[in-house]
Structure formats: C-alpha cells, structure tokens
Amino acid sequence: DQLEEQARSLLAELGERMAHARSGAGFTQASLADALRVSIRSVSRWENGASDPSLIDLRAFAQLTGRPLRWLRTGAGRMA
C-alpha cells in the first residue's frame, strides 16, 4: 500500500541521517548504543530503517551527536 511504502521511505531517510550523524560525531554503533543505554541491535535497526527510535532516544541522540532534532526527524534546516 502507498502509505506503508511512504512510511518505510521516511524511516529509511531517518536512518541515513542517523548513520551520518553518528559517524560524523565519531561514534561506532557500539559506542553510541552504550552512551544511549540501548542495544547495538537497536542502533542498527534505526540506521537500517527497520524501526523508529523513541522521541526520548532521538533527543538523546541529537544531543550526543550535536545535530538538531528537527534535521534528524525531517531533514529540514541546517545539519549542525
């Protein structure tokens, strides 16, 4: 269905931004997972678009990586 495809596309785009922000901030998936107190699998699933981080986790991620929450969620605005 078109709505499901759009949701998958948005998750994939979020995952790409998260992977870019994580690596740009010098984190590995393991070190980020440790800092966020989540599993490495969770970080991997976020970056692969397989799952959506909670807003709490996304806010913590934004703070750790120095990226604006708005940019992470939508791709709009400045990256840093």
Side-chain angles (χ1 to χ4, degrees):
D1 152 82
Q2 187 177 0
L3 189 57
E4 288 178 9
E5 182 58 36
Q6 189 176 25
R8 280 192 294 272
S9 178
L10 290 172
L11 271 180
E13 291 171 11
L14 171 62
E16 289 172 12
R17 287 189 296 274
M18 291 183 77
H20 178 78
R22 174 190 53 77
S23 63
F27 286 98
T28 63
Q29 286 185 343
S31 64
L32 182 69
D34 190 47
L36 292 173
R37 296 189 173 122
V38 299
S39 68
I40 297 170
R41 181 179 172 150
S42 290
V43 174
S44 176
R45 290 177 55 82
W46 298 339
E47 291 184 2
N48 290 316
S51 68
D52 198 6
S54 71
L55 187 54
I56 291 170
D57 287 334
L58 193 57
R59 282 184 177 153
F61 179 95
Q63 187 172 23
L64 285 170
T65 60
R67 300 294 192 255
L69 183 60
R70 179 176 181 226
W71 178 79
L72 288 167
R73 292 185 71 191
T74 67
R78 299 181 134 227
M79 183 174 69

